[in-house]
Amino acid sequence: MDVDTRLLRSFLAVAEDGSLTRAAERVFVSQPALTKQIRQLETQLGVRLFERSRAGMALTDAGRALARRAPALLASWDETLRATRAAGRQAARVLRVGFVASAANEATREIVAEFARRRPGWRAELRQAAWTNPSAGLADGEVDAALLRLPFPGQAALRVEMLFSEARWVALPSGHRLAGRAEIAFRELWDEPFVAAPEETGAWRDHWLAADEREGHPVRVGAVTEQPDDWLSAIANGYGIALAPESAARFYSRPGVVYRPVTGVSPTRVGVAWSPADDGNPVVRDFVRCCLELARPV
């Protein structure tokens, strides 16, 4: 019998957290979707893995047996998959670099050019990811390195070097009552509806809502989007406002949307990340050096 590794990862998340809600955030799916995956796995195995109650999800004897063995199985598969993909990219002399939104800003082109100079015959292939994939494919071994906004889910399991910090501004509909201001205090935005990333992105979503910098004031969500274009449309159409990197004013200009500096909120940070398995990979190390030498705020 073949079992989808995605189902095993979902099972382990629930087994470790004891909660569908927390586990759904970890594996970046909705709670109903996670419930469906657990039931699908139970059907395939022909056993009940959890006892469900108001207190949470408790493992059955069969569930405990699977929970003991699944981590080693998944780790072995992940390493096999990563090694296979890396070997293919090595043969093609391609370094795949994931990124979310504006990556390392204007320095990205310089980084790619310098990498090509240091590694003749190699090329860095940039791959943009949706906000629902905040590691830009790095956690799944789909890319060799990534340029990311910090923090992101799964960051603790990866190597990360911070490159620079950047002020967070606010994106507003051009007709918004505060759009004429030269600068806006974050406190003045607390009651506004925000355009947010999907709930399953967890800490990523909270960071861009500045959820922990509101002195307990609740967040209002006016719309949920996964891509920059949809995000801009939601703001322009008046569904909400959004915090954004200062560089968004350069990278994501659009009629109907204005950007203004915000006081009273911490900056965002940009970093380069890679897998611990690639600590000894000279090609990845060269790319990281290029990032550390060339990425800088502008």
Side-chain angles (χ1 to χ4, degrees):
M1 178 191 354
D2 294 326
V3 174
D4 188 340
T5 56
R6 177 177 53 98
L7 300 182
L8 287 178
R9 295 183 202 283
S10 296
F11 161 76
L12 280 178
V14 179
E16 291 169 2
D17 287 333
S19 161
L20 283 167
T21 301
R22 291 193 300 272
E25 292 180 358
R26 282 180 56 183
V27 295
F28 313 129
V29 299
S30 66
Q31 187 171 325
L34 181 58
T35 300
K36 184 177 179 180
Q37 289 174 4
I38 296 301
R39 287 176 178 163
Q40 184 180 348
L41 181 60
E42 289 178 325
T43 299
Q44 287 184 6
L45 297 178
V47 297
R48 191 165 185 171
L49 299 171
F50 293 99
E51 295 291 347
R52 299 159 176 82
S53 70
R54 291 183 179 179
M57 304 283 283
L59 288 165
T60 63
D61 288 344
R64 281 189 288 273
L66 181 60
R68 285 194 297 270
R69 293 165 175 79
L73 186 154
L74 288 171
S76 176
W77 170 245
D78 287 345
E79 179 56 32
T80 300
L81 186 60
R82 186 181 298 277
T84 302
R85 287 172 168 168
R89 295 194 288 268
Q90 178 81 18
R93 299 174 76 81
V94 172
L95 184 82
R96 287 185 182 167
V97 180
F99 72 96
V100 176
S102 56
N105 297 344
E106 287 85 352
T108 304
R109 288 184 181 180
E110 295 180 61
I111 291 168
V112 170
E114 177 61 17
F115 173 77
R117 187 190 68 77
R118 295 188 185 190
R119 286 276 165 180
W122 280 77
R123 63 185 175 88
E125 181 180 280
L126 294 174
R127 295 193 164 199
Q128 184 171 13
W131 293 333
T132 46
N133 184 8
S135 78
L138 187 59
D140 298 326
E142 295 175 0
V143 298
D144 304 291
L147 294 162
L148 302 168
R149 295 280 168 178
L150 313 179
F152 61 89
Q155 181 174 328
L158 299 168
R159 304 285 194 238
V160 179
E161 286 280 358
M162 181 179 154
L163 301 177
F164 59 86
S165 64
E166 182 180 3
R168 277 188 283 183
W169 285 23
V170 64
L172 305 157
S174 56
H176 193 278
R177 61 185 178 82
L178 298 175
R181 293 273 197 89
E183 189 176 79
I184 302 169
F186 183 50
R187 182 181 293 272
E188 295 182 78
L189 304 173
W190 287 356
D191 291 324
E192 296 284 335
F194 273 66
V195 178
E199 286 187 13
E200 57 264 32
T201 59
W204 166 267
R205 169 187 167 110
D206 290 344
H207 175 73
W208 289 106
L209 295 171
D212 60 350
E213 298 184 50
R214 294 170 174 262
E215 298 179 10
H217 201 85
V219 176
R220 290 180 60 201
V221 174
V224 175
T225 61
E226 297 183 20
Q227 298 282 359
D229 285 347
D230 295 336
W231 176 81
L232 285 168
S233 293
I235 296 168
N237 290 326
Y239 291 110
I241 66 173
L243 292 175
E246 178 183 352
S247 57
R250 303 188 298 276
F251 284 91
Y252 298 112
S253 61
R254 176 180 173 144
V257 176
V258 299
Y259 296 88
R260 296 291 180 262
V262 177
T263 60
V265 68
S266 64
T268 178
R269 297 173 296 147
V270 172
V272 58
W274 68 98
S275 168
D278 283 325
D279 283 346
N281 185 324
V283 180
V284 172
R285 286 206 313 266
D286 275 352
F287 181 79
V288 171
R289 289 192 192 102
C290 291
C291 292
L292 292 171
E293 292 171 9
L294 296 172
R296 54 189 177 276
V298 294

